[in-house]
């Protein structure tokens, strides 16, 4: 019997004598069976048996062995993942291929250690193993832009084989970083004579993002005044860098504006864009560009000739608008002032006082002319001058002299009557007055030489002046003085000069000034103001505060030194002018501590819904207390809008699933002062899936934002009026029937009470009334699901507003302590 193989003799053959089947060549199962649809692989043979001739079909099963390692189709897997991708997001990976089957094929995958990624192994429909990459922690491109991972595929053979592939994750940038300046505040100094085009500072804002998200544009904020913007140019750098140059655009003048305040904004190119701000304060340093100036260019003065040496003639006061040594002034005579004048009058070089130095004599010298120069002490000193004319007034310090124009002597005894024998210029009695103030000595009786041979005539001349009578009262130029004084004034500052005039002479003309006593709030006027009794200069004795005292009204009396003295008075109205020395105070939304307010808002809120209302107070005057509102920071500028006048924050669109659950809004409230002052509040909004509800009475009803509609408002007013009248009637009845007042029961501790003065005013530019407080409190409390109850306090001028915790009836109690809001 002979056995022979007629097929696949490449791999197997048979011993024809013994019939043993043996392997001719190494068998590769993966080569013979290229598909993995079945785990079985067979090698088919046909054997022929002779004598008798028979044909047999033989199938030899080729069993798999783990002779192949898993392999990936690529050497590296590149993934682009945005840093805004939420954690838990999955990414499919290319699976590894193993030609082996069964337990020898790919069994599992392993990922190298990572804080941000993990994998999950899935089993496909055909039994293959697939790996998915899972994001376990939010990415931050600015911290790590590329993540390098190793994915290892392991089969189930014994021993196991493995293959690896590199996973390179590129983190894509999102605009999650706002530009930031090197400094939040820059304090600079510049000389006022700096030329136009001078570089003030190089500004550099950086943005940790990349691409267009890091492109920065510089601009002025709304808080930079137009005058300052006209003075400086903000130019981008010319070398392509992200710097900006602050360039001097207009000549500086320290005397007009010594400090320039700039608020600069850096905005990136992201969508939505983010911004950062920096404050730049530019101090203008003084140069000596102003000459001293006198109050008047020409002074005409009068001084009595009997003025003693050392008497004050005038106190010159030259002013210099510069500062420091540039405004220190020395006084001197010019070359045009004669030596006689300099010998007669002394000029103090430090104070500018001119005093009498030598004896004055009207009969010797009547007019003195001088020129005084005021020179500052600047590096390049400047000077100004004035001319002074001093008139010496005559005193009655000389006896009369008789001047005889003509004289006839001797006189004949037969001289006829009315014959002129002498002409003198002054005679006291019985002289006939002639022309030119001369008197004629005439013969008034017949002469007789035998009786009186000669006459010894003595002329006595006496001068006379008309004595003054105190018949004129002092007169003020005005009957009413209005003086405006800026608050925060320096004590001792001169307010005004209230000089009166008296046409009488000498002591009847000398005036003394008094403040007529008047008390305001137990404070005497003499404790607030002082008047120089000699010249009427009015001074302030204290620093005034507009917020504490806005005006004063009192009288000043001018009294002469006559006998009896005469006097008159004038009314003085002091008006304290407000300065912007109070910053706005945020009163709504209410913050118990700090400046952060947390609010919740339904995610289903419609477009245009009111989110919050910011109300700020400013105790300055109406002009300085006008408040405007602006976003300083906002998480998404496309989601919220802020009314700059009433502070209302509303939604610009509905929330989408892409919007973060937490929104951060920073609102700045700025007053209208110069410079402007501001306050900020941070509102953290959290979106919730269910709407907030409020409780009214004992029934839970949805809170509607139009609760103060016109119809409801009329109903509330009507019901409130009826209830108030009923309450008054009951109180009157109780008072009439009860002899002793009963102690009122204490308010139950179940409510958190907020007490506010009835007359307090909470205002913004459009709302100036108590309703602003109730409105803001209503919004704040009802956002938290509380009922706001407005109750009048009997016999008082205060309101109690109680807020009931959410989810309680009107009788529920709470252990929280009462809180007081002072406005």
């Amino acid at each position: 019997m002979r056995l022979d193989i007629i097929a696949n003799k490449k791999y197997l053959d048979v011993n024809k004598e013994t019939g043993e089947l043996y392997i001719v060549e190494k068998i590769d199962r993966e080569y013979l069976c290229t598909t993995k649809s079945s785990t079985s692989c067979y090698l088919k043979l046909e054997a022929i048996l002779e004598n008798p001739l028979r044909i047999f079909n033989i199938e030899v099963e080729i069993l798999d062995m783990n002779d192949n390692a898993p392999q990936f189709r690529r050497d590296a897997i590149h993934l682009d993942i945005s840093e805004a991708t939420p954690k838990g997001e999955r990414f499919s990976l290319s699976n590894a291929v193993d030609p082996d089957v069964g337990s020898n094929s790919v069994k599992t995958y392993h990922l190298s250690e990572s804080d941000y990624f993990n994998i999950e192994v899935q089993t496909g429909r055909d039994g293959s193993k697939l790996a998915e990459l899972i994001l376990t922690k939010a990415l931050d491109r600015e911290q790590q832009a590329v993540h390098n991972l190793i994915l290892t595929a392991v089969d189930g053979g014994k021993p196991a084989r493995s293959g690896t592939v590199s996973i390179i994750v590129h983190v894509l940038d999102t605009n999650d970083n706002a530009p930031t300046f090197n400094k939040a505040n820059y304090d600079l100094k510049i000389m006022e004579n700096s030329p136009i085009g001078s570089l003030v500072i190089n500004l550099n804002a950086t943005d940790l993002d990349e691409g267009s998200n890091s492109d920065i544009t510089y601009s002025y904020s709304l808080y930079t005044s137009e005058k300052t913007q006209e003075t400086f140019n903000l130019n981008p750098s010319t070398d392509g860098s992200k710097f900006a140059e602050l360039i001097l655009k207009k000549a500086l003048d320290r005397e007009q504006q010594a400090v320039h305040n700039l608020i600069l904004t850096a905005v990136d190119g992201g969508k939505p864009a983010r911004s950062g701000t920096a404050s730049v304060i530019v101090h203008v340093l003084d140069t000596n560009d102003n000459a001293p100036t006198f109050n008047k260019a020409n002074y005409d003065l009068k001084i009595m000739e009997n003025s003693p040496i050392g008497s004050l003639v005038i106190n010159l006061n030259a002013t210099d608008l510069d500062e420091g040594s540039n405004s220190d002034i020395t006084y001197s005579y010019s070359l045009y002032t004669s030596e006689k004048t300099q010998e007669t009058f002394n000029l103090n070089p430090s104070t500018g006082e001119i005093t009498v130095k030598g004896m004055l004599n009207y009969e010797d010298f009547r007019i003195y002319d001088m020129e005084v120069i005021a020179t500052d002490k600047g590096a390049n000193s400047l000077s100004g001058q004035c001319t002074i004319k001093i008139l010496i007034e005559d005193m009655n310090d000389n006896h009369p002299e008789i001047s005889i124009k003509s004289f006839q002597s001797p006189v004949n005894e037969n001289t006829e009557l009315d014959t002129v024998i002498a002409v003198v210029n002054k005679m006291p009695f019985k002289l006939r007055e002639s022309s030119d103030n001369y008197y004629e000595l005439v013969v008034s009786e017949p002469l007789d030489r035998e009786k009186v041979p000669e006459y010894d005539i003595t002329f006595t001349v006496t001068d006379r002046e008309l004595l003054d009578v105190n018949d004129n009262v002092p007169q003020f130029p005005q009957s009413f003085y209005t003086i405006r004084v800026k608050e925060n004034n320096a004590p001792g500052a001169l307010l005004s000069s209230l000089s009166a005039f008296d046409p009488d002479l000498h002591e009847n003309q000398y005036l003394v000034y008094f403040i007529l006593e008047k008390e305001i709030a137990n404070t005497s006027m003499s404790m607030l103001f002082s008047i120089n009794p000699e010249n009427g200069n009015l001074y302030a004795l204290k620093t005034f505060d507009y917020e504490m005292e806005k005006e004063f009204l009192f009288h000043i009396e001018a009294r002469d030194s006559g006998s009896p003295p005469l006097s008159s008075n004038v009314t003085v109205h002091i008006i304290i002018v407000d300065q912007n020395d109070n910053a706005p105070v945020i009163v709504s939304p209410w913050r118990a501590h700090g400046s952060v307010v947390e609010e919740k808002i339904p995610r289903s809120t419609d477009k245009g819904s009111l989110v919050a209302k910011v109300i700020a107070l400013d105790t300055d005057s109406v002009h300085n207390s006008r408040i405007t509102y602006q976003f300083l920071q906002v998480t998404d500028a496309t989601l919220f809008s802020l009314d700059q006048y009433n502070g209302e924050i509303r939604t610009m669109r509905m929330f989408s699933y892409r919007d973060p659950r937490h929104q951060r809004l920073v609102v700045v409230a700025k007053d209208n002062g110069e410079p402007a002052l501001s306050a900020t509040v941070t509102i953290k909004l959290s979106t919730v899936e269910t709407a907030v509800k409020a409780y009214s009475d004992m029934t839970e009803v949805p809170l509607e934002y139009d609760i103060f509609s016109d119809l409801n408002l009329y109903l509330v007013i009507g019901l409130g009026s009826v209830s108030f009248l009923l309450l008054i009637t009951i109180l009157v009845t109780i008072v009439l029937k009860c002899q002793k007042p009963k102690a009122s029961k204490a308010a139950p501790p179940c409510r958190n009470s907020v007490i506010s003065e009835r007359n307090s005013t909470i205002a913004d530019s459009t709302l100036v009334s108590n309703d602003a407080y109730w409105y803001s409190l209503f919004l704040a409390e009802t956002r938290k699901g509380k009922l706001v109850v407005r109750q009048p306090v009997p016999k008082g001028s205060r309101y109690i507003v109680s807020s009931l915790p959410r989810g309680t009836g009107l009788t529920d109690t709470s252990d929280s302590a009462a809180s007081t809001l002072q406005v």
Side-chain angles (χ1 to χ4, degrees):
M1 179 180 70
R2 291 174 61 86
L3 184 64
D4 193 9
I5 299 297
I6 63 174
N8 288 324
K9 293 182 71 175
K10 178 179 179 182
Y11 297 101
L12 297 173
D13 205 351
V14 68
N15 190 321
K16 295 179 181 181
E17 300 298 331
T18 63
E20 293 177 347
L21 191 64
Y22 61 90
I23 297 174
V24 177
E25 185 181 331
K26 181 181 179 181
I27 299 175
D28 187 352
R29 180 188 175 282
E30 285 73 34
Y31 178 76
L32 293 175
C33 301
T34 58
T35 64
K36 297 181 65 175
S37 60
S38 175
T39 58
S40 300
C41 182
Y42 296 93
L43 186 63
K44 295 181 180 181
L45 306 174
E46 289 185 357
I48 298 176
L49 182 64
E50 297 179 358
N51 294 323
L53 181 63
R54 295 182 65 182
I55 300 175
F56 296 96
N57 292 322
I58 302 172
E59 291 183 353
V60 178
E61 182 177 4
I62 309 301
L63 300 178
D64 183 45
M65 63 178 295
N66 192 24
D67 58 347
N68 292 281
Q71 292 183 345
F72 290 90
R73 295 184 178 88
R74 292 178 290 179
D75 296 333
I77 300 174
H78 292 270
L79 295 176
D80 294 333
I81 303 177
S82 171
E83 63 177 329
T85 303
K87 64 180 182 179
E89 193 77 14
R90 294 171 178 264
F91 303 92
S92 297
L93 301 174
S94 299
N95 61 316
V97 176
D98 193 333
D100 296 325
V101 294
S103 62
N104 294 329
S105 63
V106 177
K107 182 181 181 182
T108 188
Y109 293 88
H110 298 289
L111 186 66
S112 59
E113 186 177 354
S114 173
D115 294 334
Y116 294 89
F117 296 96
N118 201 352
I119 62 168
E120 185 175 304
V121 179
Q122 304 285 348
T123 302
R125 293 182 180 179
D126 58 354
S128 61
K129 299 296 182 180
L130 306 174
E132 285 187 331
L133 188 67
I134 303 175
L135 182 63
T136 60
K137 181 180 178 181
L139 298 172
D140 190 344
R141 188 201 64 81
E142 289 71 37
Q143 291 186 3
Q144 188 172 351
V146 178
H147 296 263
N148 293 294
L149 309 172
I150 301 296
L151 180 65
T152 303
V154 182
D155 62 22
K158 293 182 180 180
R161 290 176 176 270
S162 62
T164 61
V165 67
S166 295
I167 301 176
I168 302 175
V169 179
H170 301 274
V171 183
L172 302 180
D173 183 54
T174 59
N175 193 26
D176 58 343
N177 290 280
T180 57
F181 287 87
N182 291 344
K183 294 181 180 180
N185 299 284
Y186 294 87
D187 202 299
L188 309 176
K189 296 179 180 179
I190 185 173
M191 298 300 296
E192 69 172 321
N193 62 347
S194 298
I196 295 175
S198 299
L199 175 65
V200 180
I201 189 177
N202 265 326
L203 297 165
N204 180 25
T206 57
D207 195 319
L208 298 179
D209 297 319
E210 64 178 358
S212 62
N213 293 334
S214 65
D215 293 339
I216 296 177
T217 303
Y218 297 88
S219 62
Y220 292 113
S221 77
L222 296 176
Y223 299 114
T224 304
S225 66
E226 292 184 2
K227 184 176 181 180
T228 299
Q229 295 185 38
E230 293 173 355
T231 305
F232 299 94
N233 258 343
L234 187 60
N235 300 331
S237 59
T238 57
D239 58 359
S241 62
K242 296 181 180 180
F243 291 87
E245 297 175 339
L246 190 64
I247 304 295
L248 184 61
K249 178 183 177 183
K250 185 179 179 182
L252 299 172
D253 190 345
R254 187 203 64 83
E255 289 71 40
Q256 291 188 3
Q257 187 167 353
V259 179
H260 294 269
N261 292 286
L262 301 90
I263 304 296
L264 305 181
T265 303
V267 182
D268 61 25
K271 293 184 179 180
R274 289 179 174 269
S275 63
T277 59
S279 172
V280 178
I281 300 177
V282 180
H283 299 272
V284 182
L285 301 182
D286 183 54
T287 57
N288 192 24
D289 57 346
N290 290 279
T293 57
F294 289 91
N295 294 338
K296 296 167 62 177
N298 300 287
Y299 294 86
D300 292 322
L301 308 176
K302 294 181 179 180
I303 186 171
M304 300 301 294
E305 65 174 327
N306 65 340
S307 297
I309 294 177
S311 300
L312 178 65
V313 179
I314 186 174
N315 188 359
L316 295 175
N317 182 23
T319 57
D320 194 318
L321 297 179
D322 296 318
E323 64 179 359
S325 61
N326 295 331
S327 63
D328 293 339
I329 298 174
T330 57
Y331 300 87
S332 62
Y333 286 121
S334 74
L335 298 175
Y336 300 103
T337 304
S338 66
E339 291 185 3
K340 180 175 179 59
T341 299
Q342 297 185 39
E343 293 172 354
T344 307
F345 297 96
N346 181 63
L347 172 61
N348 189 313
S350 300
T351 63
E353 292 182 348
I354 297 179
T355 56
V356 178
K357 182 179 180 182
M359 295 298 296
L360 302 176
N361 192 344
Y362 172 83
E363 288 72 26
D364 291 341
F365 208 84
R366 301 182 180 183
I367 300 176
Y368 293 87
D369 291 305
M370 64 181 71
E371 185 176 71
V372 176
I373 298 176
T375 306
D376 60 33
K377 296 181 180 179
N380 298 316
S381 60
L382 301 175
S383 61
Q385 63 273 343
C386 70
T387 60
I388 302 174
K389 178 179 287 188
I390 300 177
L391 302 179
I392 308 302
E393 291 190 326
D394 182 43
M395 292 292 295
N396 188 23
D397 57 349
N398 291 284
H399 295 286
E401 293 182 358
I402 299 175
S403 175
I404 301 177
K405 186 176 181 181
S406 63
F407 180 77
Q408 180 180 350
S409 179
V411 179
N412 296 324
E413 64 178 336
N414 59 349
T415 302
E416 296 181 0
L417 295 179
D418 296 331
T419 300
V420 176
I421 61 172
V423 178
V424 298
N425 62 340
K426 291 184 179 178
M427 285 294 290
F429 307 107
K430 296 183 181 179
L431 295 177
R432 186 172 66 191
E433 186 176 359
S434 180
S435 60
D436 300 327
N437 288 329
Y438 281 86
Y439 292 84
E440 298 175 345
L441 182 61
V442 297
V443 175
S444 59
E445 295 180 0
L447 300 178
D448 188 347
R449 190 197 63 82
E450 286 74 23
K451 292 181 179 180
V452 181
E454 63 180 18
Y455 290 88
D456 185 6
I457 301 174
T458 302
F459 293 96
T460 302
V461 180
T462 305
D463 59 355
R464 291 187 179 182
E465 60 178 328
L466 187 62
L467 298 178
D468 182 56
V469 176
N470 190 24
D471 56 350
N472 291 280
V473 298
Q475 298 176 1
F476 284 93
Q478 301 174 214
S479 61
F480 191 93
Y481 285 87
T482 299
I483 303 173
R484 299 182 180 273
V485 182
K486 288 186 177 181
E487 66 171 330
N488 305 318
N489 59 293
L494 176 64
L495 304 183
S496 182
S497 181
L498 309 176
S499 298
F501 171 74
D502 194 321
D504 294 323
L505 294 177
H506 307 307
E507 66 273 5
N508 297 332
Q509 177 185 46
Y510 300 146
L511 302 181
V512 181
Y513 299 87
F514 305 91
I515 294 179
L516 298 182
E517 286 299 328
K518 177 182 180 182
E519 288 192 357
I520 297 179
N522 298 326
T523 301
S524 172
M525 283 295 101
S526 59
M527 298 178 64
L528 302 178
F529 303 96
S530 172
I531 191 167
N532 189 317
E534 296 180 358
N535 56 25
N537 288 346
L538 184 65
Y539 300 90
L541 297 182
K542 60 166 286 187
T543 300
F544 297 110
D545 187 350
Y546 173 83
E547 287 69 39
M548 299 293 296
E549 47 214 357
K550 294 181 172 55
E551 61 179 355
F552 301 94
L553 193 67
F554 55 92
H555 299 283
I556 289 179
E557 179 180 295
R559 183 185 307 165
D560 61 27
S561 300
S563 181
L566 300 179
S567 63
S568 63
N569 59 62
V570 65
T571 302
V572 179
H573 185 201
I574 304 292
I575 299 176
I576 308 303
V577 179
D578 180 52
Q579 289 184 316
N580 193 30
D581 55 348
N582 290 281
V585 177
I586 305 286
V587 297
S588 175
W590 171 247
R591 302 158 291 170
H593 300 286
S595 60
V596 178
V597 179
E598 295 185 358
E599 297 285 355
K600 293 183 179 180
I601 183 173
R603 199 170 184 86
S604 59
T605 299
D606 293 333
K607 173 183 177 181
S609 298
L610 180 64
V611 175
K613 180 179 177 69
V614 180
I615 298 179
L617 286 182
D618 195 316
T619 56
D620 289 321
S621 65
V622 175
H623 175 76
N624 291 330
S625 64
R626 293 175 182 168
I627 307 295
T628 56
Y629 304 89
Q630 186 183 28
F631 278 133
L632 192 59
Q633 292 180 10
V634 60
T635 303
D636 190 344
T638 66
L639 189 54
F640 301 101
S641 67
L642 171 62
D643 192 301
Q644 64 172 333
Y645 297 111
N646 60 27
E648 291 184 353
I649 302 175
R650 296 184 179 272
T651 55
M652 298 174 63
R653 58 175 175 83
M654 295 187 66
F655 290 93
S656 68
Y657 71 94
R658 295 180 180 272
D659 294 323
R661 289 187 57 193
H662 302 286
Q663 301 283 338
R664 186 172 184 268
L665 310 177
V666 180
V667 178
V668 58
K670 171 198 163 189
D671 62 25
N672 196 42
E674 181 63 34
L677 301 177
S678 62
T680 61
V681 61
T682 300
I683 303 174
K684 288 186 177 180
L685 290 178
S686 301
T687 56
V688 295
E689 298 301 329
T690 58
V692 179
K693 295 183 179 180
Y695 287 79
S696 177
D697 297 329
M698 297 297 294
T699 306
E700 179 175 335
V701 296
L703 176 63
E704 298 293 337
Y705 290 111
D706 60 347
I707 191 168
F708 286 127
S709 63
D710 293 341
L711 180 58
N712 291 341
L713 181 61
Y714 296 149
L715 291 175
V716 169
I717 293 174
L719 292 175
S721 302
V722 174
S723 300
F724 180 78
L725 292 175
L726 180 60
L727 178 62
I728 294 300
T729 303
I730 294 174
L731 291 175
V732 172
T733 304
I734 292 174
V735 170
L736 292 176
K737 290 187 177 183
C738 297
Q739 295 180 354
K740 295 183 179 180
K742 296 182 179 181
S744 60
K745 296 182 180 180
C750 62
R751 296 172 177 169
N752 296 332
S753 297
V754 180
I755 303 176
S756 174
E757 295 288 348
R758 178 191 295 265
N759 294 328
S760 62
T761 301
I762 300 177
D764 59 19
S765 59
T766 58
L767 189 60
V768 184
S769 70
N770 287 328
D771 291 338
Y773 169 70
W774 304 119
Y775 177 62
S776 62
L777 183 63
F778 171 79
L779 287 179
E781 294 299 311
T782 52
R783 285 289 185 200
K784 301 175 182 177
K786 298 181 180 180
L787 173 65
V788 180
V789 182
R790 183 170 176 174
Q791 302 173 342
V793 177
K795 298 182 180 179
S797 61
R798 299 161 70 91
Y799 281 122
I800 296 181
V801 179
S802 301
S803 58
L804 303 181
R806 182 182 179 185
T808 63
L810 294 177
T811 59
D812 290 348
T813 62
S814 173
D815 295 332
S816 58
S819 60
T820 301
L821 173 63
Q822 299 293 339
V823 179

